[in-house]
Every structure is written in C-alpha cells, then in structure tokens.
Amino acid sequence: MGAGTRAVHLGRPPHQPDQPLNEPITPASTFVAGGDREYGRYGNPTWAAFETALGGLEGGRALAYSSGLAAVATVLDLVGHGATVVAPRNCYNGTILQLADLEARGRLRTELVDVTDTDAMVKACEDAALVWLESPTNPALEVADLPTIIAAAHEAGAYAVVDNTFATPLLQRPLEHGADLVVHSVTKYLAGHSDVLMGAIVTADDQLHGVLKGRRDLIGAVPGTFEAYLALRGLRTLHLRVERAQANAAELARRLGEHPAVGEVRYPGFGGIVAIVLAQGAMAADLLTHKTRLWVHATSLGGVESTFERRRRWKSEPATIPDALVRLSVGVEDVEDLWEDLRVALDDLTG
Ligand SMILES: *Cc1c(COP(=O)(O)O)cnc(C)c1O
C-alpha cells in the first residue's frame, strides 16, 4: 500500500454493517474490568486508532503522548543517570531546553554538535548512550546524514532517535535507516490544522515499545480522546497537505532568493518549511512579520495556513541562529496569493 492509501485507510473500524467509518471519540476514564485496557491512563480506542495509522506510516508501532515535548522527555528518560546524550546544536529549542535542564540537575551530560558535520557527529557518538537527531533541524533547516550517524550510534551501543516532525513519514522514514525511535510533534504536520497539541513515539522494537508503554502508563503523559480524534482526522489528508505545502515552499524559496530584501534562503529541497535571513537585519524581519495580510505572525508550524516568525524573538533560541532569520511554515493556500502577500511586504522594506 502506498503512503496515501495508508493515511486514509489505517486505524478504521471493521467494514461491517452499521459500523461508523471513523473510530469515534471515546470519553472514558475507566472500562469494564477483564479486558486489556481497564483504565483510561492505560489506553483508549481513539488513541489506538491514531497509533495504528501513524505506526503504519512510519513502519513501526506508535504510542501517542499529550505533546511532542512529553514524547521527548519520555525518550530522554531512557538513559541512565549521568549518561551522555549527543544532540544537534541547532535542534528544536524545547528539546535543547529540556537537555539543558536535565544537565543542570546532574541527570545527564549533553554534547551539542553541528549535525551537518558528519565526522564530528560520528566522533561524538563514541561516548554516547543516546544520539538525538533532528533532520531537517528546526529552524536552521540543516540536514543530517541519518544512515551514517545512526550506524555510528549503534556501534557505540547507543540509542539512535530521530525527531521526524519536519519531514513527516511521507518524506523520510528513519526506522528504515535503522533508527530505534522516531519522535513526532503531532501538533505540527500530522494533525496539521493548528488546533491540537499531541506527540508520538514510534519504534519497530517490541521490547522498547513495551518499556515505553509501561512508562506512559506510570507517568500519564497521555493525550485526550478528542485530541486523538482530531489528530487522526488531520492525518487522513497528510499526503495531500504535505505535497501541496512542499510544492508551494519550493516555488516560494526560488522567488524569495531573487528578492533584494532577502539575504539568504534556506530550503533543504523538500518539505514545507523555508527560512530566510533578511538582508537588513532583525528590525526588517520584525517589520515583515507585521506587514502581511495572509501570512500570520505566529509560532508553531505545519498547519494548513501559512505562518511565520523571527525565531530569535525567543530569548532561549541559540545565538547560532541568525538574528534576522524568519521561519516560514508554508501552508496549502494558492501559491500566487502567498507570494503576492510576501512580495508586497518585502518590496515595502526595500522601499
Ligand atoms: C514543536 C516541536 C516539538 C515539540 O512539540 P510540542 O507538540 O510543541 O510539544 C518537538 N520537535 C520539533 C521539531 C518541533 O517542531
């Protein structure tokens, strides 16, 4: 089955008379005793439907969480006390902040590396217990050599984890490259409509799946049934949304590169996220984000609507991200409308 067919068909009730086509929302804190679920923290049929669909897309078994960062925290908790975690220096800011917090409390050691420097990453793997990868990175849009770094992590006996939020399983399936775990902020492309916070972990390793499920049962970072329903409803059109966002992004990246107000365009050649560095600096970037009519000034990404922001407006964003970098989450609107809105605002900047 192709990815589009999987996105549409997986995780549905059986084709039987009077069954609904979609798994319903099941509000339940408890279930009649004697089954596998028993209690609302241990499982819910609506999460299970979402997990079936996402697992089928990534090629493993999925577990849903209350947010992407809850999934990140769950994965980082796999390593022993004082162990070393290697991560990209420019990866998602929330992940960097979690690592810094864990390090400050003596829970683990972190080594932040330029993820595009494969030799440096491979070298850093030597003393790692867990190698965190994100590719493309948020918001620098750096691409990692996943197969090489995953192999180096395994050589060192470390877990290899890939945050696949930007690429989605349609453009990249890290489990096929040997990754032990894939992490998602479901909040972004998978749900895709800027109305849900949810996360997920996917693995092809049954033992790891069991460990993670046990931790989720204990800690309780579970999604709501309504959220899981919305996420699955969003997932049904993932292939259409990603295809359109990617086509729009590629075209906008090309046109932005020719505009005099834009000093640099970063686009890895796939996906729906583009970053630009304004030639006239951070003030120009802030002006841009307030001059448009369609593009919404907002954080987050991966929704049907186009949004953008200057990332360094967040004090915690690392200084390795240019001050004038604006991350554009390209939506599924008509590309000519998106361009016209941007072009007018950019023309205004160059006066
Ligand atoms: C947003 C994001 C997260 C965190 O997910 P939440 O759902 O906001 O908790 C993790 N990784 C990446 C790459 C993200 O963009």
Side-chain angles (χ1 to χ4, degrees):
M1 267 200 286
T5 310
R6 282 174 211 233
V8 172
H9 282 275
L10 294 178
R12 291 193 183 268
H15 294 180
Q16 282 163 11
D18 283 344
Q19 281 283 330
L21 269 68
N22 293 290
E23 181 63 42
I25 298 170
T26 303
S29 62
T30 189
F31 300 89
V32 176
D36 295 332
R37 276 191 193 107
E38 296 274 5
Y39 187 56
R41 191 170 5 86
Y42 303 149
N44 175 286
T46 320
W47 318 340
F50 171 81
E51 291 169 345
T52 300
L54 177 59
L57 285 168
E58 285 285 8
R61 294 172 72 191
L63 287 162
Y65 290 82
S66 49
S67 71
L69 276 184
V72 173
T74 301
V75 170
L76 293 179
D77 202 34
L78 284 173
V79 302
H81 198 84
T84 297
V85 173
V86 171
R89 65 173 181 185
N90 284 337
C91 73
Y92 173 64
N93 196 232
T95 304
I96 299 257
L97 291 175
Q98 268 197 22
L99 286 167
D101 175 61
L102 291 165
E103 183 155 45
R105 290 189 283 120
R107 171 67 179 79
L108 46 78
R109 274 186 4 94
T110 64
E111 205 173 325
L112 301 180
V113 182
D114 175 357
V115 82
T116 64
D117 185 343
T118 304
D119 290 343
M121 283 297 292
V122 166
K123 178 112 193 28
C125 286
E126 281 170 17
D127 37 40
L130 188 149
V131 178
W132 188 274
L133 290 160
E134 188 182 297
S135 184
T137 55
N138 179 4
L141 293 170
E142 300 154 333
V143 173
D145 179 348
L146 293 183
T148 303
I149 301 168
I150 289 167
H154 287 162
E155 184 107 347
Y159 293 114
V161 184
V162 180
D163 183 331
N164 205 28
T165 298
F166 268 38
T168 82
L170 293 174
L171 304 177
Q172 172 170 283
R173 280 179 295 280
L175 298 178
E176 290 176 3
H177 298 301
D180 301 295
L181 299 164
V182 165
V183 170
H184 276 285
S185 171
V186 175
T187 311
K188 314 292 169 55
Y189 284 106
L190 299 184
H193 294 73
S194 308
D195 53 6
V196 177
L197 268 180
M198 218 172 104
I201 304 174
V202 195
T203 181
D205 179 327
D206 285 341
Q207 198 248 332
L208 259 179
H209 179 272
V211 169
L212 293 168
K213 166 78 168 70
R215 293 271 164 80
R216 188 181 67 175
D217 290 353
L218 270 179
I219 292 168
V222 294
T225 185
F226 186 58
E227 278 72 11
Y229 177 86
L230 284 177
L232 181 54
R233 187 181 166 108
L235 195 71
R236 298 301 185 206
T237 54
L238 179 68
H239 51 305
L240 303 177
R241 292 183 287 103
V242 167
E243 216 173 90
R244 177 62 170 262
Q246 175 168 261
N248 285 353
E251 182 58 25
L252 291 179
R254 192 182 65 71
R255 295 187 193 185
L256 285 163
E258 291 167 0
H259 198 285
V262 177
E264 184 193 342
V265 177
R266 297 191 186 185
Y267 183 61
F270 61 96
I273 310 292
V274 179
I276 56 174
V277 181
L278 275 290
Q280 293 158 301
M283 286 252 288
D286 282 334
L287 273 175
L288 173 69
T289 55
H290 291 89
K291 273 180 182 291
T292 49
R293 292 172 355 150
L294 287 176
W295 288 84
V296 185
H297 181 215
T299 197
S300 197
L301 55 100
V304 289
E305 59 291 286
S306 293
T307 59
F308 61 172
E309 69 169 336
R310 182 172 74 85
R311 278 303 298 179
R312 288 280 299 280
R313 77 189 176 91
W314 298 92
K315 297 280 173 285
S316 54
E317 191 76 7
T320 43
I321 302 300
D323 210 18
L325 182 142
V326 174
R327 182 187 66 199
L328 295 94
S329 172
V330 181
V332 301
E333 302 95 329
D334 291 303
V335 70
E336 293 303 335
D337 293 328
L338 292 179
W339 171 243
E340 192 57 16
D341 194 31
L342 274 181
R343 185 193 61 75
V344 168
L346 288 167
D347 284 354
D348 233 30
L349 292 180
T350 41

